[in-house]
Amino acid sequence: MRGNVAKIKVNSNFHHVIGENLFVKQDHRFQEYRRQWKEWPEMFYVGPFPLFLDVEVTSACNLKCEFCATTHRGDKIRKGFITFEMVKKIIDEGADNGLCGVKFNIRGEPLMHPQICDFVRYAKDKGLIDVYFNTNAVLLEDSVARGLIEAGLDRISISFEGIDKKMYERYRKGSDYNLVIENIENLKVLRNKMGVRHPKIRIQTVMLPEIAEIFEEYKSFWMKKADEVCFLDYKEMKDRKEGIKYPWACPQIWQRMAIWWDGTILPCNHDDDGLLALGNVSEINIESCWHSQKLNEIRNLHKNSEAHLISACDGCYLRDSEINKCLKKEKNDNSDPGR
């Protein structure tokens, strides 16, 4: 074994703050799924099939948020919409191999796809227990909300920066504060009228400095409208920091895989250039990619603290942000006289 074995901290970029923790359920199968989600990366264990798939239903987005990779990539991202036939192929293979969950977005806005409710229904009918997506909720009108509820969507994560119109529309360029607030409130009202508890509504924000200053107000404001409030660490996406060797390994390559709208299969959902493409779902099955020599080599490099030797991982904004957090903690620990 080469080098120093890296460490993995699962979900370190995500922070539950208040409300119902949507990762905690009494259901035995869900508990087992979340146990494996944590333990597989920590033990560098490659299971028989990914626990989860990120399936991009479209790479197009209706907003231009300044902190979003899709905005920064701009014209370099080929725009398109996935076909129902491809979604069926993906979900069918997953359901036959113990797939637990699917998120119907990666780079784009999933509500732009006219068949999003059909995709959710198909995944739920196939027995998946964690079906969700992230959305800006601009297109979450009443008919769409009703369709998602009827389809059985388990949870929905809505990104919202701030609590007032000025701040929100500054960060979510092209959005409409009043419309999105109304859509979120209507979703909860409609869910309650229909006598169901799904989808669980999560409100999340990127923890920008301006948000941190008002975060207590943010929590109070959103707990009246959502089931859970959380935040994501801010990741610098404009400047890649390359050539950094550090004992940090990405948990994604032991948990999940990503599939773009055109069928491109990737080891993670952060490879915006497709540098690590493993094949196309129209030509190869997901299981063989999961156990491929190429992906196992990527895993070994991460495990041995050599992820900087991988073109897509060297300068990855998720890797950079996690390493920066580790370095800051080390600096603070070393400067603490009580340690």
Side-chain angles (χ1 to χ4, degrees):
M1 184 173 61
R2 297 171 296 160
N4 297 320
V5 175
K7 293 183 179 180
I8 289 180
K9 186 176 181 182
V10 177
N11 292 341
S12 58
N13 182 58
F14 173 87
H15 306 275
H16 165 82
V17 179
I18 195 170
E20 183 179 350
N21 190 330
L22 303 189
F23 289 142
V24 178
K25 290 184 181 180
Q26 296 305 311
D27 177 80
H28 173 73
R29 187 181 170 201
F30 191 89
Q31 290 177 346
E32 179 65 10
Y33 153 54
R34 296 310 298 183
R35 181 191 67 79
Q36 293 172 332
W37 182 268
K38 181 176 185 294
E39 292 183 2
W40 283 12
E42 291 177 343
M43 298 186 299
F44 303 110
Y45 172 72
V46 181
F49 195 82
L51 295 165
F52 191 89
L53 293 175
D54 297 86
V55 177
E56 179 181 81
V57 299
T58 181
S59 56
C61 189
N62 53 339
L63 301 184
K64 296 290 183 182
C65 306
E66 62 183 34
F67 46 75
C68 178
T70 301
T71 300
H72 291 299
R73 300 298 299 155
D75 295 337
K76 295 181 180 180
I77 295 178
R78 193 162 66 95
K79 303 300 189 295
F81 293 78
I82 201 169
T83 65
F84 202 170
E85 289 70 27
M86 186 171 288
V87 169
K88 288 179 179 179
K89 188 176 190 300
I90 293 167
I91 299 301
D92 286 350
E93 183 185 349
D96 289 342
N97 288 278
L99 179 69
C100 295
V102 61
K103 176 167 69 72
F104 282 120
N105 74 286
I106 300 178
R107 299 173 295 181
E109 169 51 51
L111 294 182
M112 292 183 70
H113 202 299
Q115 293 178 290
I116 185 63
C117 296
D118 297 325
F119 299 159
V120 171
R121 181 177 291 105
Y122 193 81
K124 290 304 298 180
D125 287 347
K126 282 292 183 173
L128 273 64
I129 59 174
D130 187 21
V131 179
Y132 86 109
F133 55 79
N134 299 329
T135 177
N136 55 49
V138 172
L139 303 175
L140 190 62
E141 59 186 37
D142 186 80
S143 62
V144 176
R146 183 179 295 275
L148 291 170
I149 294 170
E150 292 175 344
L153 185 69
D154 291 298
R155 54 191 174 103
I156 186 169
S157 294
I158 301 171
S159 303
F160 203 105
E161 273 59 56
I163 57 176
D164 63 76
K165 181 178 177 68
K166 183 178 179 181
M167 181 184 294
Y168 170 74
E169 293 185 358
R170 183 165 70 252
Y171 287 116
R172 294 280 163 183
K173 295 186 184 299
S175 189
D176 182 322
Y177 174 87
N178 294 323
L179 173 64
V180 175
I181 292 287
E182 181 180 350
N183 286 347
I184 296 170
E185 292 176 337
N186 285 347
L187 174 63
K188 188 173 184 180
V189 169
L190 183 59
R191 180 189 72 179
N192 294 342
K193 282 184 178 179
M194 294 174 70
V196 296
R197 302 184 64 187
H198 65 267
K200 295 294 185 180
I201 303 169
R202 169 186 288 157
I203 297 294
Q204 62 187 32
T205 180
V206 175
M207 186 54 79
L208 300 155
E210 192 173 6
I211 302 294
E213 294 176 2
I214 61 159
F215 198 66
E216 289 302 315
E217 297 174 67
Y218 185 93
K219 289 191 295 185
S220 299
F221 180 85
W222 283 113
M223 267 316 300
K224 302 171 186 176
K225 308 177 190 300
D227 299 296
E228 180 185 37
V229 177
C230 66
F231 71 89
L232 304 174
D233 292 330
Y234 173 74
K235 297 184 286 292
E236 178 57 62
M237 299 182 185
K238 294 181 180 179
D239 301 312
R240 293 176 67 96
K241 299 176 180 63
E242 299 178 343
I244 299 175
K245 181 174 182 177
Y246 192 84
W248 179 87
C250 181
Q252 288 202 18
I253 49 182
W254 284 275
Q255 297 168 323
R256 67 208 293 176
M257 298 187 83
I259 303 173
W260 283 351
W261 68 268
D262 63 359
T264 301
I265 303 173
L266 298 159
C268 75
N269 59 24
H270 281 72
D271 182 10
D272 296 325
D273 294 311
L275 298 175
L276 302 179
L278 301 168
N280 192 288
V281 75
S282 63
E283 302 169 347
I284 190 171
N285 62 45
I286 300 166
E287 182 182 17
S288 62
C289 292
W290 179 248
H291 293 286
S292 65
Q293 180 180 349
K294 182 175 181 179
L295 183 49
N296 282 329
E297 288 174 353
I298 291 170
R299 290 184 180 115
N300 284 333
L301 287 169
H302 271 263
K303 178 180 178 180
N304 292 302
S305 306
E306 295 180 332
H308 62 291
L309 300 178
I310 305 168
S311 57
C313 303
D314 187 29
C316 166
Y317 52 86
L318 173 62
R319 182 173 184 266
D320 284 349
S321 66
E322 291 301 305
I323 290 175
N324 283 337
K325 284 193 296 184
C326 292
L327 292 174
K328 287 180 181 178
K329 184 178 185 304
E330 290 172 6
K331 182 178 180 181
N332 291 336
D333 290 346
N334 290 334
S335 63
D336 185 351
R339 291 183 66 86

